[in-house]
Amino acid sequence: SAQTVRHKQLQSLVEFLQEQTNDHISDSGQFCRRWPLLLCGTLNFNGRKGLMDGGHSAEYRAVLQLFKERLGEVRDLLYDVTGCHPVTYADTRLTGQGEVPVERVLTNASVYNSTSLKRQCLDYMLFFPYVSPLDGENGHEPVVPATCQIQKFSVDRSKDVGAPVTQLSDHYGLEGSLAIIESPAYLSAQRPEQRSRGTDVLGQRPADGYGNTDTSPLAAEALQREDGLAEESMAELPVVEAEAKPLPTDSREPADTAADVVKLDVDCDASPADLADLALG
């Protein structure tokens, strides 16, 4: 089923996130994530329980449970602020003629004829907070969610006359803000290194930080030779020495020579050649 496919895709996503963020060894000897993680985007599972019910769907609960088991504590920023799962795709509104689509250009018209496809919440900002390096210790959180809201990106046709769309996307956007709280412990902590994205999630990690797995003596000798050539080329550059002359202590005091300050009093009709003669003279 489509839900089974989505769940497998999310499992692959979790494996990738674990590979990229598990940079700390806990007291129990397990690799784990320490730094905050923010997962944003269209995840394509509907968080809404029904067309007019913004509570948790069964699939949403299953996905959140997967995230908690594999990545730790997770906070749905939009749900935490609104108390429900707002519609982010195929929204509708009620008029005197009944329920009508909010957006008709970018969204397939057949979507609005299906009770399982319209009025879905498919877009999320999921926050995984900082994890203390010490097991069982409630450490200071350096990043704290502040706000989150729907951003519809509507097009004002009274200003954009003739615009072919009423909003910039068939999905609503999400807008959020995070507060950075600096503490001595956070500022002194060692930051994780950026890992190469060129290897498979389950494959061997690169030997260095640039995706280079060749650590043979020949490769090392080649790198040293390149560094030596770079140093020689820098040594051949001419060295220009210049004596810095202090500026006058009084801004009203005239400079010693015309080379220090050049003042041009010309009219706006002067040609570039005239300006060059004045500056050189």
Side-chain angles (χ1 to χ4, degrees):
S1 64
Q3 183 172 339
T4 302
V5 173
R6 286 195 296 269
H7 196 72
K8 289 182 179 179
Q9 292 173 338
L10 289 170
Q11 287 179 325
S12 298
L13 173 62
V14 168
E15 290 174 357
F16 171 78
L17 292 175
Q18 286 180 313
E19 171 68 18
Q20 297 301 314
T21 63
N22 286 359
D23 57 1
H24 179 72
I25 301 179
S26 66
D27 292 346
S28 58
Q30 300 293 323
F31 275 99
C32 62
R33 176 185 59 83
R34 179 180 176 186
W35 299 99
L37 172 65
L38 183 62
L39 175 61
C40 310
T42 302
L43 300 183
N44 281 335
F45 62 88
N46 186 16
R48 293 173 61 83
K49 192 174 183 179
L51 287 176
M52 306 305 294
D53 187 347
H56 296 331
S57 67
E59 185 175 4
Y60 176 88
R61 294 181 185 276
V63 172
L64 266 287
Q65 185 62 33
L66 170 66
F67 286 153
K68 289 179 182 179
E69 292 175 354
R70 304 285 293 276
L71 297 172
E73 180 187 353
V74 56
R75 304 172 189 171
D76 185 336
L77 301 189
L78 186 60
Y79 183 87
D80 288 349
V81 171
T82 62
C84 68
H85 295 288
V87 174
T88 65
Y89 172 72
D91 197 6
T92 62
R93 65 174 182 268
L94 293 177
T95 67
Q97 289 75 36
E99 184 184 25
V100 298
V102 171
E103 197 282 317
R104 298 174 180 269
V105 179
L106 303 175
T107 308
N108 194 307
S110 62
V111 169
Y112 294 104
N113 298 324
S114 171
T115 57
S116 62
L117 295 180
K118 66 180 178 181
R119 296 187 59 81
Q120 296 189 79
C121 178
L122 304 177
D123 305 86
Y124 300 91
M125 292 185 71
L126 302 177
F127 179 73
F128 301 82
Y130 170 83
V131 179
S132 172
L134 301 178
D135 292 344
E137 178 182 337
N138 294 324
H140 171 82
E141 290 193 24
V143 180
V144 179
T147 64
C148 189
Q149 62 184 1
I150 290 286
Q151 175 57 263
K152 295 185 177 182
F153 292 108
S154 300
V155 176
D156 187 351
R157 287 188 167 180
S158 65
K159 297 180 180 179
D160 297 318
V161 180
V165 295
T166 56
Q167 57 193 56
L168 298 182
S169 172
D170 56 341
H171 289 248
Y172 292 153
L174 271 63
E175 178 184 24
S177 61
L178 302 169
I180 308 298
I181 303 176
E182 297 182 346
S183 68
Y186 171 69
L187 294 175
S188 62
Q190 183 178 3
R191 299 296 188 268
E193 296 181 358
Q194 179 66 42
R195 297 181 182 173
S196 171
R197 300 182 63 180
T199 57
D200 186 77
V201 170
L202 301 179
Q204 182 180 4
R205 295 179 182 175
D208 61 17
Y210 303 96
N212 180 20
T213 57
D214 188 358
T215 57
S216 64
L218 291 177
E221 182 181 351
L223 290 175
Q224 292 177 356
R225 185 165 59 252
E226 290 179 2
D227 292 340
L229 292 175
E231 292 178 358
E232 291 178 3
S233 62
M234 290 295 293
E236 293 176 357
L237 294 176
V239 178
V240 179
E241 296 183 357
E243 180 181 356
K245 185 173 184 179
L247 294 175
T249 56
D250 188 346
S251 60
R252 294 169 297 176
E253 180 182 347
D256 292 341
T257 64
D260 291 327
V261 176
V262 177
K263 182 179 179 182
L264 302 179
D265 292 324
V266 296
D267 58 32
C268 59
D269 295 327
S271 66
D274 294 334
L275 294 178
D277 293 339
L278 287 171
L280 295 175

